[in-house]
Amino acid sequence: MEGMEGRKPRLIVKAGRPLCGFLQIEAAKNAILPLMAAALLADGKLKLRRVPPLQDVLTMGRVLTSLGAGFGLTDQAAELEAGNLMGEEPPYELVRAMRASFLVMAPLVTRLGRAVLALPGGCAIGNRPVALHLKGMEALGAKVTWGNGKVSVEASKLMGNRIYLDYPSVGATETLLLAACTARGETWLDNAAEEPEVVDLANCLNLMGAHIQGAGTKMIRIEGVRWLQGTTHTPIPDRIEAGTYLIAACLTGGEVTLENVIPEHLHALSAKLQQAGAQVESSEGRIRVRASRPLNGLEVVTMPYPGFPTDLQAPLFALLALARGTSVVSETVFENRYLHVGELRRMGAQIRVEGRAATICGVESLSGAPVRAPDLRAAAALVLAGLRAEGETEVTGLEHLERGYYRLEEKLVRLGADIRREE
Ligand code: EPZ
């Protein structure tokens, strides 16, 4: 018997009845993180509503406070202010732990003239460089130098410019929005990311006094302003959390209604679930999904928004592993985002990976097994697979899950799932 001190928190998941009921969706982690970085640009407080105390939110809070900024989170209301910002280098271990920490770079260069950051790590889903962020900063007049695993970015005053992004990187688009909104003159971002989280950041920056047009399209124009003030903003709902629950409802043959969602942000997934044979109905702020199992296999290619989101690729594998027939998935956004496949195979899933393509042959049922989550979205995929596996599935690696899902197991239990947490 392993010593108690060696036991890690785990979820014990058992197959049960179809998920049914209603669920409120939280505000989006991937909108909140860049918004927290934007607070460093404001003279005054930035207040964010409906902020769940996710691990990544708390990590970003620690990054900000390590720089001298103010961060408080009570009852899901976050208050942030640049305050007496004095540090130009967030702690190495925080930047390594969470790639989104890199988003403080542009505000630091704007406020202090300099930022020094370790090259980010983040999840295990690929080397995820930041060359597009840095190339864009150089285009705005910053001087970028590298040395012993760190990068230093300096500029006395950023100057607007026309920037073409070789890839519509979400983070690079957000970095350059943050940098350009108080740069001198006009900046054009060409081939920009169109993700809803980019639009939310631009909307909030405009509430703070920025002049940004075209967010949500491939061409964004930013007219630099002298300063930004604080504001209060409610981040958009989390389309990835929502998509995860829609997939869970379908793979259990249930009927679930999600509230506080923006259906348009889930068009790609909704279309795929309908192709698989589920009924999906949406109205203002709501999506309802109903599925009688088993669903049909699919062909899916992950793409930048509005294409199928890479963050829902792993959760979808749990559904495709149990679908009728063969599915083919191509992961075009990250070069190593199949870490969940090995663990799903241990549960009996029939999956073959060749490069960026995965072929999944649906099986009647999976078998419960002790599995360890290797990253955030893989963790969700393993819990979802356990909902349709015979016997018990013990999921560890919950530190990954808690980065991006608030009370996932409680919400699934509320919908009828058989999950218990053991410390
Ligand atoms: C954001 O990451 C999200 N994170 C990711 O969600 C999401 O998977 C990703 O966008 C794609 O939608 C946050 O918003 C905090 P990218 P980001 O820059 O900004 C390459 C989750 O599960 N690239 O669009 O890092 C990169 O290597 C997380 O919530 C460069 O090569 O994504 C990757 O292959 C995971 N050079 C691709 O582009 C660069 O300078 C997409 O990266 C930047 C990116």
Side-chain angles (χ1 to χ4, degrees), residues 144-224:
V144 175
T145 48
W146 308 70
N148 56 27
K150 290 182 181 179
V151 64
S152 145
V153 185
E154 296 173 271
S156 50
K157 180 67 182 165
L158 292 169
M159 310 296 286
N161 201 345
R162 295 185 73 87
I163 300 171
Y164 175 80
L165 283 170
D166 295 342
Y167 181 87
S169 152
V170 173
T173 303
E174 292 166 345
T175 279
L176 297 171
L177 279 179
L178 292 165
C181 55
T182 55
R184 184 167 299 139
E186 186 179 73
T187 297
W188 292 86
L189 294 186
D190 191 356
N191 196 29
E194 300 171 87
E195 271 69 2
E197 294 77 23
V198 169
V199 177
D200 202 39
L201 174 64
N203 289 341
C204 185
L205 287 168
N206 283 341
L207 283 174
M208 295 162 71
H211 290 171
I212 302 169
Q213 295 162 306
T217 73
K218 287 205 162 302
M219 182 70 85
I220 303 178
R221 177 183 175 276
I222 305 110
E223 179 63 43

Side-chain angles (χ1 to χ4, degrees), residues 117-418:
L117 289 100
L119 287 173
C123 332
I125 57 178
N127 59 18
R128 308 179 73 190
V130 286
L132 297 174
H133 298 241
L134 299 173
K135 216 171 109 186
M137 291 301 287
E138 286 177 327
L140 298 177
K143 180 166 160 285
V144 175
T145 48
W146 308 70
N148 56 27
K150 290 182 181 179
V151 64
S152 145
V153 185
E154 296 173 271
S156 50
K157 180 67 182 165
L158 292 169
M159 310 296 286
N161 201 345
R162 295 185 73 87
I163 300 171
Y164 175 80
L165 283 170
D166 295 342
Y167 181 87
S169 152
V170 173
T173 303
E174 292 166 345
T175 279
L176 297 171
L177 279 179
L178 292 165
C181 55
T182 55
R184 184 167 299 139
E186 186 179 73
T187 297
W188 292 86
L189 294 186
D190 191 356
N191 196 29
E194 300 171 87
E195 271 69 2
E197 294 77 23
V198 169
V199 177
D200 202 39
L201 174 64
N203 289 341
C204 185
L205 287 168
N206 283 341
L207 283 174
M208 295 162 71
H211 290 171
I212 302 169
Q213 295 162 306
T217 73
K218 287 205 162 302
M219 182 70 85
I220 303 178
R221 177 183 175 276
I222 305 110
E223 179 63 43
V225 295
R226 290 172 58 78
W227 77 86
L228 299 177
Q229 74 245 5
T231 190
T232 299
H233 179 68
T234 303
I236 53 170
D238 194 322
R239 62 193 169 101
I240 306 302
E241 184 198 26
T244 304
Y245 291 118
L246 291 179
I247 293 168
C250 288
L251 74 80
T252 59
E255 177 172 341
V256 167
T257 301
L258 302 182
E259 294 167 333
N260 185 45
V261 294
I262 299 175
E264 170 200 347
H265 292 171
L266 284 148
H267 265 172
L269 174 67
S270 300
K272 285 297 168 185
L273 293 177
Q274 283 170 324
Q275 270 175 37
Q279 288 82 44
V280 182
E281 289 144 27
S282 44
S283 56
E284 184 60 32
R286 276 184 169 205
I287 286 192
R288 185 165 71 108
V289 70
R290 194 176 36 215
S292 51
R293 34 187 189 179
L295 295 167
N296 309 316
L298 292 167
E299 293 211 7
V300 178
V301 180
T302 67
M303 296 291 281
Y305 192 87
F308 189 90
T310 171
D311 294 345
L312 288 175
Q313 178 253 102
L316 190 72
F317 265 60
L319 184 148
L320 297 178
L322 292 152
R324 234 188 329 229
T326 299
S327 300
V328 180
V329 176
S330 177
E331 170 55 60
T332 72
V333 176
F334 288 102
E335 78 273 7
N336 179 24
R337 203 170 193 177
Y338 286 134
L339 299 178
H340 42 288
V341 168
E343 294 301 276
L344 288 171
R345 277 202 195 111
R346 295 181 58 242
M347 297 176 70
Q350 300 293 312
I351 306 171
R352 197 177 69 248
V353 174
E354 278 157 12
R356 291 199 178 210
T359 305
I360 305 143
C361 299
V363 293
E364 277 299 308
S365 73
L366 297 170
S367 2
V371 289
R372 167 173 296 284
D375 65 56
L376 165 58
R377 304 303 174 183
L382 295 171
V383 174
L384 265 50
L387 297 174
R388 280 284 308 281
E390 282 159 20
E392 284 191 351
T393 299
E394 181 186 280
V395 182
T396 49
L398 301 189
E399 65 279 9
H400 296 293
L401 192 67
E402 283 147 9
R403 291 187 56 172
Y405 290 98
Y406 185 50
R407 297 182 169 167
L408 177 123
E409 71 269 16
E410 285 176 37
K411 290 172 180 172
L412 288 172
V413 166
R414 210 181 303 153
L415 294 175
D418 181 349

